[in-house]
Each structure stands twice: as C-alpha cells, then as structure tokens.
Amino acid sequence: MYNFDVVVPGSVAEAVAALGEEDAQALGGGQTLIPTLKQRLASPSVLVSLSGIAEIKGVCKTDDGQLSVGGGTTHATVAREAAGTFAGLAGLAGHIGDPAVRNRGTIGGSLANNDPSACYPAAALGTGATIITNAREIAADDFFQGMFTTDLEEGEIITEVRFPVPEASSYQKFEQPASRFALVGVFVAKFADGVRVAVTGASNDGVFRWDEAEAALSANFAPEALDGLTVSGDDMINDLHGTGAYRAHLVGVMAKRAVAAAS
Amino acid sequence: MPKDSGIGASSKRREDVRFLTGQGNYTDDINIHGQAHVHFLRSDIAHGTINRIDTSAAETMPGVVRIFTGADFEALGGMPCGWQVTDKHGEPMQEPKHPILAHGKVRHVGEPIAAVVADTLEQARDAAEAIVLDIAELPAVVDMKAAVKADAPKVHDDLPSNLCYDWGFVEENKAATDEAFEKAAHVTTLELVNNRLVANPMEPRVAVGEYARGTDEHTLYTTSQNPHVIRLLMGAFVLGIPEHKLRVVAPDVGGGFGTKIFHYQEEAFCTFAAKACNRPVKWTSSRSEAFMSDAHGRDHVTKIELALDADNNFTALRTDTYANMGAYLSTFAPSVPTWLHGTLMAGNYKTPLIYVNVKAVFTNTVPVDAYRGAGRPEATFQLERVIDKAAQELGVDPVALRRQNFITEFPYATPVAVEYDTGDYHATMDKVLELSDRAGFEARRKDSEARGKLRGFGINCFIEACGIAPSNLVGQLGARAGLYESATVRVNATGGLVVMTGSHSHGQGHETSFAQVVADMIGIDENMIEIVHGDTSKTPMGMGTYGSRSIAVGGSAMVRATEKIIAKAKKIASHLLEASEGDIELKDGAFSVAGTDKSVAWGDVTLAAYVPHNYPLEDMEPGLEETAFYDPSNFTYPAGAYTCEVEVDPETGVVSIERFASADDFGNVINPMIVEGQVHGGIAQGIGQALLENCAYDENGQLLTASYMDYTMPRADDLPGMADYIVDHSCQTPCTHNPLGVKGCGEAGAIGSPPTVINAIIDALRSGGHQVDHIDMPATPAKVWAAMQG
C-alpha cells in the first residue's frame, strides 16, 4: 500500500464533503478496494470510509411494499433480514464469497464497482430496482453502463437500493472454479405484469437483460418455456475458465434452473 | 487391537499443539534486532535484453540501505544445479548460468532484477518503483515444441539451442522395442499433457540472513525442507563460505511439497547482503511473488504407445515426452523427467520392453522442478491412461487387463533398471474393489442416470520409487549429492533422549512418529523423546525430507543409532548387574538378566553413563550418545490400487467426486493416523491436478494464473465426504532392505489419484454415448462440456 489518510464520517453529508477532496476515494466494505491498494494499483490521498454512517445501513419494507436496503448494508445482513420478504435476494446475498466477505462487503460497494462477475447487479437489474444516491434516484436500467462503469458521478454515494419484491424469484450462479465469482449468474423475477431476467458474469458489456427469455417466461413461467432459446456467445467473455460459447450455453442452463427454483 | 503407543499406534501429533495454538516458530516469526528488509524488483516481461538499470534516484529515497543488481554478483558463482543428466549420445546436458540477480537478460516473468534493502519493507518497495529500467523486449518462447525448432528465439544465447538434453532410456532397448511394435497385434496410442502446477504451500518462502562480524559467522534462517543441502550448495558453490562458518536453520516450515527443496536466489541474496550491509536482511515472499518465483511442477507433453499381443499381454511400451525446464535449471530439475520418471514406466506390469525418450526444453517460464511425486505422477498418468484406452479399444475389462499383466513374482527386475523388492498387486486390487463396492456400481450408476447425471468408475494402479536413494547408484546417474540420512541419539543422564535427525518435518509429523520408533525400541514413554531437526548447528549432516524418504532412510538411521545406544547400555547394565552381557535383555525400559529376577531400570543405566562411579571405565567411555548414517541399498516401492466414482452433469460439464477409495501397500506403518492423513492430503492434491489446478502462460510468457482468482486450489467441498473418502493401508508387504520394513507414504496419493479421476470421467462420458478418448487435466467444467459437444 501507499500511505493515505482515512476519515470515517458519521453522516452522508460529511462523507460527500470529504469526497470533495482531491484524490479522495470512497471505501465501502473494501472487498475490491483493499486488495487493489495492497497491490499498489491505486493511490488515493484519503479514504472516506462509509462504514460509520448509520443512516445507510439496514433492511426494511417501504410503504409501497418495496424492499429498501441501505447502501452500506453488508451481504450477511441482507441474507439474514431479507430472507422472509425476498428469498431470491437473500439467497443471492448469502452466497456471495465466504463469511468474511459477506460480513464486510456491502451492496452499495458492489453496485458502484459493477464488476462484470458480481452477483448484486443481476438482482438490481433483474427486479428493476431503483438506486438512490445522495443526489438522485437512478433506475437500474439506466445505472449499469458496461463493465466497471455506472451512471454514478464522481463522489456520488449509493445510500439506498429499493427493490420491487417479485412474486417469485431466484438467482442461480455458476461459479468460476478459482475465484468462485459468477462465471454466469442469472436472476429471474416474476412480477404480476411480467418476468425480468438479468445475466451477470457472462458478457463483455457487464450485466444485461435477456429480452427473449423475459418474453417467453412472461407467457409461460416454466423452465421449458426457454427450450430452444439461446443467447449469442459473440460478445461473451472468453477466458481461461470458459469460452464465450460455454458462457452462452450456461446462460440458458442457469436461467432454467432459476425458473425451476423460483419461490 | 490398536496399540496405544510405539510403532503402530495412532499417537496424536505432538507438534500440532503448538501449531494450532499459534506457538509455532516459522521463519517469518524470526525478527532480529536491527534487521533491514529487502524487496526484489522482478521482471514483468518474459524475455528481454537489459540495457540499463538506473538506481541513482532510488538510492536517495528514505530508508534505503543499499541497492543491488546483477553486477554486484558477477564475481560469485551462480545458482548450482544438483544433477547432471547425460543425453542419449553420452553428452552432458546443456547447463546455463543461473545468476542470483538477472544479468544481461531477463528470461521469465518474476526473475529478480534488482534488490532494494531498506529500513522498512514499504521504503524498499517505494525505492524499487524509482528504479529506471531500460529493457528491450525480445520474442518469448513458451511452447516446448516451438522452442526446439531451429528458428526459435533462444532463452540462453550462449547455448546451442533450447534443448537441455535428449534422453533415451534404455537406449540399448530401442531397436528391440521398435521391433515389438511392428509385431504387435494391437497398438494403443495416446497423446496427453501433464499440466503445470504451482505448489502453493500455506507458508510462502522466507529468508533471513544474519552475519556476526566478530566471529565471521553467517546464519540463514529459511523455509527449507533440507537445511544441510542449502548450506552445502550455497556455501560451497554460490557464496564461498566454509561450512563451519555457515549455519542454516529451517525452523517450523508450513508445507513444502517439493518446492522448498531447492536452493533459491533469495536465500543466497539475504546471506550475502547481511554481510555486505552489516545488518540482518529479511525477505518474506508475497503470495504473488510465490506464483512467479517458487519452482513449478510437472509440465510434460507426452505421446505414449502400448503394444499388446493377441492375448492382450503387454509386449512393449514407448514414450516420447517433452519436459519443461523453464528458463533455468532449478536444483534437481534434470532428474525429475529422467531418473524419477523413466525408471517407473514399467508400473505394476511385466512389460518386457520399454523405451522412454525425454527432451528437456528451456522456455521463458519459471523454472520447473520436483513437486509431490516428482516424475512418478507423470509416469503413472500416461501409463494408466493408455492402459484404460487399450481396454476400451479391445473391449475388455480394465481391471482384468491390468490383472493379466501384473508382476507377481518378487524381487522383479524391470527393463527400466530398477528392482522391486516386494509387492502384491492383486492384493491391493482386491482390497480396493471391496472397499469401493465395485459390485454395487451399476446400481449407483442407474440412480445417477435417474437424476440426469452420468456416472463413471475409474480404476488405477501405481508404483513409486521412494526411500531416495542409494548414494553410489545416484552418483552414477548424475547426482551431485549423496542421499543417505543421519541421526544422532543423545541420551541424557536422567534417561530422556534427544534425537537429532537430518530429516526435516514440514507437516509430516516426524516429531511424533520418530519418537514412537525409539520409544518402541527401548520400551519407554514417547514423551521421554524429543526430536530435533532443521538446524545445521544441531543435527549431523543430513539430506532432508522429500521423495517419501524420511521414515525409510532417516528412520533407518535413527534405528541404527538407537541400536548402538542399546548395545552400549546393555554393556553398562551387565556391569551394574554383574552378569554376562549376552544374558542382558531390554524390555519395557528395564534391563534384566535372563532367567533371574535381577534387573536395573533404564534411568539407572543412563545415570551410570554420565555419573560413572560404578562403571567399567577401563573398557568403555562414559556417556551415551551415538550417531549413525544410513545409506539405503535400494529404493522402496510403495504401490497401490485406487478407485474413483464421479458424477458428470451433462448440462454444465461439472464433475463431482462421489466416492474415492485407495488401497496402498506402504509396508509396515508407524502411525496409521498420520499415514491416513498423508494419503488424504495427497489424494486431495491429485484431485486438484485432475480437476482444478493449472498454471497457464499466454504466448508472450505472461503468467495468466498469478493469483487465487485464476489458479484453482482444491477445497474441502471439492472432495467427497469422509465416509466416501476411504484410505486403506492394510495390505502390507514389508520392505526387505531397511530395518523398519517401511516404504514411505507421502507422495502416493498425489501419484495414484489423477489418472483414477480421469479414467472415471472418460467412463462416465462414454456411458452417456460421448465417444471421448481423453480429456487433458484439469478436467474443468468448460473442458468436459466441450468434449461432450464433440
């Protein structure tokens, strides 16, 4: 690591002010940033830890029936507290990394980083969630803009994520053998007005919605509705762990499994 | 009845108390007052000419003590190679210079270019970033077959080519072998890769150099499996320090798996720099550095052919292997694909004619050397895969084909220059088929199929040569070291013993099992015996631990020294008991006179040795301390039969190991619990090689799997549950030529398991109608799925 200062603000307003400093960097759970710092691949002058901000932590139901998750809420907390209201999301959170990761990593950090192999982007896009920052509200469909790229402005902090709660949902992840990140992860959510399907891990453009599957499942929410549907492997990630064609194939397999497991 | 102490007892591992309570003393725990830290600036390209290294700005950075480059080591010897292989024309191998810090060229990603010594590690890292490098990148050579082409870039400009040696074994058998292939009723051919692995011991390498100006004494603390070997190589060949002025200490070491056998540049550097800087100098490898500086393992590309007669008897075997040496010759690298590989190609079978060709090749990659099994897994994998393929082609049962060709009479001289002393291959096969319930397999397969899965059964046999090794033999084969082992047994006045062994424990549990042997011989409590290892100032010159040699060679030295102790103690007892020496018996820690009730306790005899008031001083020296060096007369030949059942998910290609069983013949067993742990661990590593682990480079020589994000280590959930993970060592044909009748168990699991897994996967895929002949390791889901797509 290079030397840096750390500040631990107690409110969003203080954090926003601190992030105004030159080369300041927000620190969520640190599950990506800390390893990056240890490898000397980043050199912020000041780290603004978001871990001391009580107002962006916690899980609750909103008046209009959505599930509100504070941006600073850990995966372990979501896994525990969303289990009764939104099992698909709790299941996703409960299978990110290992217990150490789940007790440090936060939903806001995951979404802001938008790692192409991260799990949470699939849930946000797969439910049409709203990402709320200190400045505005962003629809998930507008938020994700390709690998490691989002609509967030410099210094903008995710304070809350508001999930419409589906009638049934499931996230099925095929793990990359070494990292156990998603080689392919598919989130399927069934709402009264249709089905959404979001895919993470697979595409060079990051998380995406699988339109054809959404249409087919909206007509018939059953695994066999996906028979014969394929996604193209052309824009899929091609690496040591799988070709684009393999990932494209897994999208279909994981989507079917998600429909079968949806509850 | 299981024994509760001594040989054959599952005594709890005494060293685990300190390991599990954080009381271990690992090399990184050693911090010496005034120590400085070194950070190595390593090459981030695979091949290039060093035009200039400008350290001027870096030298002015805070805390910098001194910055070293290759130029500082020009006057010294480079890193030595401990084994010279002679090629098939009788010429010695090509042996390049191996500098401590790169000189003239960089030849692999991770090669150290400069070393920055500073007050703190962070200061050293900061200063390393200020070093200005002017390195002209050269085309890299990674693929071995491309490397031996005439127009390939040369890794070493002063060598004729990238070919280290072209070895033929046994050259005299070549013509007869070729003729047998021409006459064969059936020939099975298989081309395969034995994947490159990174050892990944839990503890990364560490070195701390210290120099005492007042006495001119050097000390190196290092993560080594063999401190005496390091002292000899580094003192005599690298730094020119006489052994009496050089102490090497390898304290608690957290796993080695072979990669801590070798003498590394960082060890020589820290020893050298401690004197040059007049400060202790410490280096602790990061995990990232370990991936690109620890010697890698395996990396063979092989074509194997098996000839059979009309009755399915094996008549000849022929192999053609390319073995990757990496950019330089690591300490024992040349011996691995030759003497530890070619000599094992007979396996468990009476094939009369065998010819092995190995081309060792330099590439712009990290050096490759011994890794758990070292040559023997490579031999076993190709042999057992080609036998399975032959069974498939001939439509015969793979078990029956193996049984038909088993060696059944011992001793057995193979056509590849070794003589198996004992074994019973039908017995281990019978045992493993019973343990694995092969009879119930078809029912389990139907159950899997009902759940949409393909199930396969894999069988495998193996033999290894352990108890390394007769010194006169290995000397003829090119070893530049002896391979005996040593022990000093020091009895204290009040009866406790200290055994100073040249073996080294880095996970094997020697402190427990070695004590069991001595306790058993004397008939005293194991807790009266302390095992000391890992310090050249305490232990006699010994060769260390690798090649499943410790109990077979180091244990035998300890037995011989203890026998000398007992012989002398009996003389003392005969004096004390006023009886003839021939009438003295030692039992349960007491000496008695045969046929009488006269006896004297062990402690009384040991006290007499050191307080010799009533003692035959005119006939015998006082004291009770003996040393023995044991040089084995042959290798030992552990062997076994393994089975594996896998389920393959046809939708994704995921392979899961549902059941695994092993029946090993290790000869006599000292501590069954430790042996079972060794085999469980070895199989886990073998499953890692078969399904998960792969060290990959791109065509430019960049290491693609440089962290655990991409290099897949086996984890507990990759293995079957303990009830389906059966290890058995009840088939025992004791070794005939060492005093304990032991053979060694450390590598067996890693040797026997990879082909077992692949054989099972092929069986599963073929049961699903997929005409797959072979899948190269690791059989990842992507690869298995692709194979099913045809």
Side-chain angles (χ1 to χ4, degrees), chain A residues 1-2 38 40 174 176-181 240-242 246 249-250 253 257, chain B residues 122 125-126 129 649 651-652 654 705 708-710 712 715 717-718 781-782 785:
Chain A
M1 283 190 190
Y2 298 107
K38 286 170 81 171
R40 295 191 158 204
F174 189 89
Q176 192 256 54
S179 68
R180 297 198 172 176
F181 277 61
L240 273 179
H241 306 287
Y246 181 56
H249 166 74
L250 287 178
V253 174
R257 290 184 183 181
Chain B
E122 291 300 312
R125 290 184 71 175
D126 288 345
E129 289 180 3
D649 177 355
E651 287 187 329
T652 61
V654 168
T705 50
Y708 294 136
M709 290 298 283
D710 289 301
T712 315
R715 288 173 246 204
D717 65 359
D718 293 312
W785 179 78

Side-chain angles (χ1 to χ4, degrees), chain A residues 181-202:
Chain A
F181 277 61
L183 190 78
V184 167
V186 178
F187 196 97
V188 170
K190 178 178 184 292
F191 294 96
D193 58 351
V195 174
R196 288 175 72 110
V197 178
V199 180
T200 188

Side-chain angles (χ1 to χ4, degrees), chain A residues 137-159:
Chain A
E137 298 191 356
I138 311 167
D141 284 315
D142 301 324
F143 182 83
F144 301 104
Q145 300 189 346
M147 210 179 255
F148 296 111
T149 310
T150 69
D151 193 46
L152 289 174
E153 301 286 343
E154 200 70 28
E156 196 170 359
I157 297 169
I158 296 175
T159 55

Side-chain angles (χ1 to χ4, degrees), chain A residues 37 95 98 110 193 200 231 234 241 247 255:
Chain A
L37 293 172
H95 290 90
D98 54 26
S110 173
D193 58 351
T200 188
V231 289
D234 294 348
H241 306 287
R247 281 179 164 86

